[in-house]
Amino acid sequence: MQEVNFTKISEELSIKVNQVKAVSSLLDAGGTIPFIARYRKEATDCLDEVAITTIRDRLAQLKDLDLRRSAILKSLEERELLTDELKVKIDGAETMAVLEDIYLPFRPKRRTRATMAREKGLGPLAERIFPQEDLREAAALEAAAAEFIDEEKGVPSKEEALAGARDIMAEMMSEDTQARAMMRELFERKGFLHAQVLAGKEEDGQKYRDYFDWEEPLSEAPSHRVLAIRRGENEDILSLRLQPPEEEALALLEGLFIKADHAGSREVQAALVDSYKRLLGPSMETEARQHSKVKADIEAIKVFVENLRQLLLSAPYGQRAIMAIDPGFRTGCKLVCLDPQGKLLHHDVIYPHFGTGKSEEAGRKVAELCQRFAIEAIAVGNGTAGRETMAFLTDLQFDNKPSVTMVNESGASIYSASEVAREEFPDHDVTVRGAVSIGRRLQDPLAELVKIDPKSIGVGQYQHDVNQADLRRSLDDVVSSCVNAVGVEVNTASKQLLTYISGLGPQLAQNIIDYRDNEGPFQTRKDLKKVTRLGAKAFEQSAGFLRIRSGPNPLDASAVHPESYKVVEAMAKDLDCQVEGLLQDPESRAGIQLNQYVSDKVGMPTLQDIMSELAKPGRDPRESFEAFQFTDGVNELADLKVGMRLTGKVTNITKFGAFVDVGVHQDGLVHISQMADRFIKDPAEVVKLDQTVAVTVLEVDLQRRRVSLSMKEGRSQEKGDQPKSRPAKKPAKKETPRRPPKLASKPPAQKLDPNNPFVQAFQKANLVDKG
């Protein structure tokens, strides 16, 4: 079946079969996705990480399908039920659902009404009625039923015989492969999602009140809504049904099974209605629930993964001395000083919010520590008292005062109490560890964030509701992708960072640390081979992503893989210069004729990558750091006024909008309808995580601590001139909700009402996990 699978994947992805085979072979040989994408471009014909990941996952799905297929065939053979015709059908099943449909009539069952009827000997009666070829008259039907009356078997009357026959026919129809395929398609195409509040749960379920009486086509329900309603159901607030119009379902089944209009066919009709309501309908609803959950999970995980990627690749401030402050009111502000490598040099507590005397003392201490440790930047956590601490530091005046910037501290408290933090700082409490994490996050967000469970960082959408195994695999993939894209300095990287390097893992990462501690810094990449248990395969997979910036070989600081060093040395020799000359002299590189170095092992894609590395060896793909400041004088929700124009940072992106921190300790929501002057389908089209954006305040709800914002251009700053969004109407029953029209210009001013999209979105956003 493997060849069939290769062909199927190539057709699905519109790529060559040989590309699929190459990826499969490299994965089977222990290759990692970052390594294959970066260093095996000739084999895969330049497939990127997304394509390779898709092939890997699809191969796993098809493998599961083949394993299930084999198990079914074995079961049928053992029970002597396998025929040539059945085997052909099983071998031809392309999805798990179709495979299970074929197997359903033969699956060992618990005792059902149909099996009990068959035990009573009523199978022949059902088989005679079902084709509807005779028994046209009521009398003939009753006479046929009378033949099966048997007190000992539990069939005391004609009515009991006919009821048993209907039970058998109902099960026959519910297990019919064609009927199930038709119903599955109907549920997908015309299924409606119905949500309703449970009696007496109105007060407890206020955050779900949008869905107290909700209906929409399942095919159009966005992932966040499906997951929100399912969570409400799990919390015993809502009931959920997924069904198409019943009359359409029955009409389809009638077209398939009803052959005539007489006494016998009326028995089939009765069995058909019973089959749909008791067996087939609930079975298809269960499938539809599972399918919609899987689809919603995929979308939610995709949002989480993309947000995490953007956060991990946030611009680093770099290796500079940092003062980090974890702000607080009652307990003071925990202060730490870090050297350029993130090593803790000093820790203290200041009390800038305890009156004039304490504030002046705190100012003197900050100035003195900045001078003593040559601090180049001050990082302030964005939690409680963050804006007030920023204002205090901004007002300080002293010589060589460093810049002050606010850092997102989501997850810092999780790190500070973790085993990793206890290993790093066994003699310090959680407050010191948290402040260190804030400072290091400014120096290098990637290196610090890999120490924290991604689910605690607060950039996901319903991350606790999705399939956790799928989520963990996807998060591991994106962390690995980011770490390997940036590369790691092997002589300073933490165990957690090294763990994500291609081909390593926790044990080899620890072995590298142990070697470094015992033998000193690595001088060349070749020294990695001296690490315990780091064999040829692990070296091949990892070496290109590990950097040695101060070693004798300049290529060790680049992404050029050691297997290609001879190519670079040949280039230098042909140009009569040293490798260092190629790195430093663009004119020398301009004389390289790449065609001369193509071989059976090195192709043009690798040579082009080598040239890019020679131009910018070890370049960091992340953007340059830019300092950010919130709007002065806006520190609390009460400071916000409708019409204000503010500067903020995007902290989370969902399918219904983006959350923006404007410095008031409560993120505001920019609903998708307020993100641009044009229609957009996805917020990711216009924003990315940690992006600085200008927003206008549309609405402030102090009681529920909710803020509605707009990113649209031309918003008036006068309260009375604020254009309002179009009110969102709940769709009427069994009607498809209208899509929002494309707007050629700003929508006309309308009065906001409780049904506007911001109110609705906030009610959804209340369900978004923030870590």
Side-chain angles (χ1 to χ4, degrees), residues 695-709:
V695 294
T696 302
V697 179
L698 293 182
E699 191 174 346
V700 182
D701 187 335
L702 293 176
Q703 183 177 358
R704 293 190 294 173
R705 296 187 61 79
R706 291 175 177 173
V707 182
S708 299
L709 304 171

Side-chain angles (χ1 to χ4, degrees), residues 679-692:
F679 174 74
I680 60 170
K681 291 184 178 180
D682 190 333
E685 294 178 28
V686 292
V687 295
K688 61 182 180 179
L689 214 64
D690 206 38
Q691 178 180 336
T692 300

Side-chain angles (χ1 to χ4, degrees), residues 156-226:
S157 65
K158 294 178 291 186
E159 289 73 22
E160 286 289 332
L162 290 172
R166 288 194 298 270
D167 287 341
I168 293 171
M169 291 188 291
E171 187 170 276
M172 290 167 60
M173 287 184 274
S174 75
E175 293 180 349
D176 183 87
T177 303
Q178 187 177 356
R180 295 183 69 84
M182 291 170 61
M183 286 300 100
R184 186 174 292 116
E185 192 272 338
L186 179 66
F187 269 74
E188 291 177 1
R189 183 169 50 86
K190 288 198 172 183
F192 270 76
L193 181 153
H194 310 259
Q196 218 158 14
V197 65
L198 296 176
K201 295 288 187 174
E202 291 82 358
E203 187 172 342
D204 293 342
Q206 278 302 298
K207 65 182 179 180
Y208 299 104
R209 67 185 182 188
D210 271 359
Y211 310 121
F212 280 1
D213 184 20
W214 182 266
E215 180 179 282
E216 71 176 314
L218 179 59
S219 61
E220 297 185 9
S223 63
H224 62 83
R225 188 174 297 143
V226 172

Side-chain angles (χ1 to χ4, degrees), residues 38-39 523-526 543-572 578-584 589 609-619:
R38 182 69 176 81
Y39 296 113
Q523 297 301 310
T524 69
R525 279 172 168 164
K526 288 182 180 179
F545 304 108
L546 297 171
R547 310 279 193 266
I548 300 174
R549 303 189 190 282
S550 55
N553 189 339
L555 294 179
D556 285 345
S558 74
V560 176
H561 197 282
E563 65 189 12
S564 297
Y565 282 8
K566 289 184 179 179
V567 176
V568 180
E569 291 165 359
M571 291 176 177
Q578 299 296 316
V579 170
E580 290 87 342
L582 286 181
L583 294 168
Q584 297 168 4
R589 293 195 299 273
D609 284 346
I610 288 173
M611 292 300 293
S612 296
E613 277 299 311
L614 294 179
K616 295 182 178 179
R619 66 193 182 282

Side-chain angles (χ1 to χ4, degrees), residues 37-105:
R38 182 69 176 81
Y39 296 113
R40 291 297 178 263
K41 291 182 177 179
E42 285 81 4
T44 69
D45 199 6
C46 297
L47 291 178
D48 61 15
E49 288 190 17
V50 175
I52 295 168
T53 301
T54 303
I55 292 171
R56 179 202 65 183
D57 293 346
R58 193 70 180 106
L59 284 169
Q61 291 171 357
L62 293 174
K63 182 179 180 181
D64 290 342
L65 179 64
D66 289 341
L67 289 173
R68 179 58 179 156
R69 194 193 322 271
S70 298
I72 288 173
L73 289 171
K74 181 179 179 182
S75 172
L76 292 171
E77 280 183 319
E78 290 174 348
R79 291 181 286 140
E80 298 182 351
L81 296 173
L82 186 62
T83 64
D84 291 342
E85 182 183 359
L86 183 57
K87 187 176 187 305
V88 169
K89 288 183 179 180
I90 292 172
D91 287 341
E94 294 189 353
T95 68
M96 196 70 78
V98 172
L99 183 61
E100 295 297 345
D101 282 352
I102 296 169
Y103 183 51
L104 185 59

